Amino acid sequence: MRISRLYYFTVAFLFSIGTMPTQAQPIKKSSPNVIVILADDLGWGDITTTKQRISTPSINKLAVEGIRLTNFHASSSLCSPTRASFLTGRYPHSVGVPDLASPNVRGDVPIFGLSHDVVTLPQALKPLGYTSMLAGKWHLGYYKENWPRKYGFDEFWGSLIGTPNYWEVDETYHNEDPVKVDKYFTDWITDKSLDFIHKEKDKPFFLYLAFNAPHYPLEAPSKLVTKYRKKFPEDGLYAIYAAMVERMDYNIGRLITELNRLNILDNTLIVFTSDNGPSAELNSYGLPGAKISRGPLNGHKFSMYEGGIRVPFIAVWPGKIPKGTERSEIAVTMDLMPTILEAVGGKTQHSELDGISLMPLFTNQSYQRYQSLHWENIYNMAVIQGEWKLVHQFWEPEPHLFHLAKDITEKNDLAKENPSMVKELMAAHENWVKTKYPNPIPRQKERPMHRIPLK
């Protein structure tokens, strides 16, 4: 039975009576700030592998100062569903975003927007005294009833759409008012983030910094592009992509510097990850570039192979997360909401959450996930249970089975040797579909080559 929003907020209020100061008392600054930095279409190999091709000193420093999860997965292989999952702690299909949000009907694909019949992270943080801001890309609804401040954000600087550009940015707003972006978009949304941090430094805040980098269109400052064209003269558009990643890293460095200057870095939980794997689309850097970005993995954005859903993940919380930690247990985007709520002392157990808290991982304690994890969109499905992963793409006659703990490259299909495991995982997924997958999109009949080109 689904718990109503009224019930949830009643429980949250009752919980907060014992933890939140009265109006006559200032909010205790001991409550940690929370910053979630989400990259867009960033490959696992761009940041995670030792043979790193792009200069990312700020992100690398975060990894040294905190924890790197090498087996972290996006909740979808495309961006809108993952973003919905992050903000709700739920499978994206159950909160109204099984596919990309769009302002118009696209053939058989209806208009999607994040459901209001769900509690979002900023809404859950508000009773605990948090002020929340989104800076950057929204992409969870185009009509005003689906804009960010309808879901608990106190402030919004950014774009509503999935591809807002970088120099001549489309659909940009401050709250509900259109604004003009006068500089490179990655720099601009960081500027707004710094303004927010300075304004809210004396009380707990939640900042969701949603970069659209390095999502296409490929646009970057010319000096950086020249740098990477010299470094990779035969890699074509990858040079621009690399320049976009380095510029994002530079701005993450600006953020860390400001937190340090304000003496609030030690009281801030910072999470960095990506919404899905690298894009092989022709209007991005294509399949050759995606193969570089994914590292040793198979697949890319829109694919349920690891290259499409395994993404970089780093978390830093001085004094709470041991420095230089690396863990290989599986985790997923929808785990972030219960993790953050536990970190700040909020309510983490209720029937609406599908994710689980990662605090045992963050504090280097024992951790085990007993539930299977599921992915499905109009193209294919995947389920991970323990060390096994099943993938079935709709244009292929049979599913593929991999022992993921020993084969992250997904080269050794073990389906024929393990029919009972295939049957078990298919049954688990069919049961999940019945409860978590109200998807109105009909399955495709042909492989979409513009999204999933031939290997």
Side-chain angles (χ1 to χ4, degrees):
M1 180 181 297
R2 176 176 291 179
I3 295 178
S4 69
R5 289 168 59 86
L6 177 60
Y7 175 86
Y8 178 86
F9 283 119
T10 301
V11 174
F13 173 74
L14 291 174
F15 172 84
S16 68
I17 289 176
T19 58
M20 191 169 64
T22 63
Q23 196 169 21
Q25 298 173 321
I27 296 169
K28 292 181 179 180
K29 186 53 188 172
S30 58
S31 299
N33 308 306
V34 178
I35 299 176
V36 175
I37 304 170
L38 189 67
D40 196 340
D41 289 7
L42 183 70
W44 188 78
D46 288 323
I47 303 299
T48 303
T49 57
T50 55
K51 296 180 180 179
Q52 193 170 318
R53 296 159 60 92
I54 305 173
S55 177
T56 56
S58 301
I59 296 172
N60 294 349
K61 191 174 190 310
L62 289 179
V64 171
E65 295 296 320
I67 187 171
R68 187 195 298 269
L69 302 185
T70 60
N71 196 7
F72 189 84
H73 289 71
S75 288
S76 176
S77 63
L78 59 163
C79 67
S80 294
T82 295
R83 293 161 192 271
S85 191
F86 157 56
L87 289 174
T88 62
R90 300 267 297 272
Y91 279 109
H93 320 83
S94 67
V95 295
V97 193
D99 199 89
L100 296 176
S102 174
N104 304 301
V105 174
R106 294 173 287 128
D108 294 326
V109 181
I111 296 172
F112 293 120
L114 186 60
S115 171
H116 287 287
D117 188 26
V118 64
V119 176
T120 66
L121 181 55
Q123 287 169 338
L125 290 173
K126 195 174 292 292
L128 301 175
Y130 280 77
T131 303
S132 301
M133 186 178 92
L134 163 62
K137 173 176 168 177
W138 174 237
H139 206 197
L140 287 174
Y142 289 76
Y143 294 95
K144 288 193 173 182
E145 61 267 26
N146 297 118
W147 286 17
R149 296 213 303 164
K150 297 293 185 179
Y151 298 94
F153 285 103
D154 298 290
E155 192 167 11
F156 168 54
W157 285 96
S159 178
L160 297 173
I161 64 177
T163 54
N165 300 333
Y166 293 86
W167 296 116
E168 297 180 3
V169 191
D170 296 324
E171 296 286 336
T172 48
Y173 294 84
H174 176 219
N175 297 333
E176 292 75 44
D177 298 322
V179 293
K180 185 76 173 177
V181 177
D182 57 0
K183 59 170 60 176
Y184 190 65
F185 192 56
T186 303
D187 300 345
W188 186 79
I189 60 176
T190 307
D191 290 348
K192 303 306 180 184
S193 298
L194 296 177
D195 292 343
F196 172 75
I197 289 171
H198 191 270
K199 181 174 62 174
E200 303 296 332
K201 64 182 184 300
D202 296 323
K203 52 189 177 183
F205 62 79
F206 165 50
L207 170 64
Y208 172 28
L209 178 50
F211 287 113
N212 58 321
H215 192 291
Y216 70 81
L218 300 181
E219 299 175 346
S222 58
K223 288 185 179 180
L224 282 177
V225 174
T226 300
K227 168 186 173 178
Y228 283 103
R229 279 183 172 157
K230 290 179 179 178
K231 188 175 182 180
F232 308 123
E234 298 179 359
D235 288 338
L237 295 174
Y238 182 79
I240 308 176
Y241 172 92
M244 295 164 73
V245 174
E246 180 171 330
R247 192 65 177 187
M248 176 179 65
D249 180 84
Y250 162 76
N251 280 284
I252 291 173
R254 293 176 62 207
L255 192 74
I256 303 305
T257 298
E258 183 67 7
L259 293 170
N260 223 348
R261 189 186 71 80
L262 295 173
N263 294 317
I264 57 176
L265 180 60
D266 287 348
N267 193 39
T268 303
L269 168 61
I270 303 171
V271 171
F272 171 80
T273 187
S274 178
D275 60 354
N276 48 251
S279 173
E281 297 165 274
L282 297 179
N283 47 1
S284 186
Y285 56 176
L287 186 57
K291 286 182 176 181
I292 297 172
S293 291
R294 71 191 186 193
L297 306 180
N298 182 26
H300 41 74
K301 182 180 180 180
F302 296 108
S303 163
M304 292 305 181
Y305 288 107
E306 290 295 281
I309 59 175
R310 188 182 290 223
V311 292
F313 183 95
I314 298 168
V316 178
W317 190 5
K320 302 289 185 179
I321 297 176
K323 292 184 178 182
T325 308
E326 186 172 291
R327 297 288 291 262
S328 60
E329 294 93 333
I330 191 167
V332 67
T333 310
M334 66 184 180
D335 296 334
L336 289 178
M337 179 169 174
T339 303
I340 290 168
L341 290 179
E342 181 176 349
V344 304
K347 180 177 173 58
T348 60
Q349 301 297 323
H350 64 91
S351 67
E352 291 191 338
L353 288 177
D354 295 315
I356 63 175
S357 175
L358 302 178
M359 284 305 295
L361 278 179
F362 285 8
T363 52
N364 210 21
Q365 299 177 39
S366 61
Y367 166 92
Q368 188 170 358
R369 186 178 218 109
Y370 297 98
Q371 309 96 323
S372 56
L373 288 170
H374 300 263
W375 293 261
E376 183 162 339
N377 59 27
I378 55 177
Y379 305 128
N380 52 33
M381 57 78 70
V383 54
I384 297 178
Q385 183 171 292
E387 297 181 339
W388 292 95
K389 179 181 179 182
L390 189 77
V391 177
H392 192 195
Q393 302 186 126
F394 78 87
W395 61 85
E396 297 177 336
E398 299 295 336
H400 305 290
L401 180 70
F402 305 100
H403 193 276
L404 203 55
K406 298 179 180 179
D407 180 24
I408 66 168
T409 62
E410 297 171 299
K411 292 180 178 178
N412 187 18
D413 182 8
L414 302 174
K416 291 182 179 180
E417 294 93 326
N418 297 273
S420 61
M421 180 57 67
V422 172
K423 184 177 180 181
E424 178 183 338
L425 296 184
M426 286 298 295
H429 191 74
E430 289 170 4
N431 182 64
W432 174 82
V433 166
K434 292 177 183 177
T435 58
K436 298 292 183 183
Y437 196 67
N439 190 355
I441 307 175
R443 291 191 171 276
Q444 299 291 299
K445 296 180 181 180
E446 296 181 1
R447 178 177 182 167
M449 298 301 293
H450 67 291
R451 287 184 168 182
I452 308 182
L454 291 173
K455 295 181 180 180

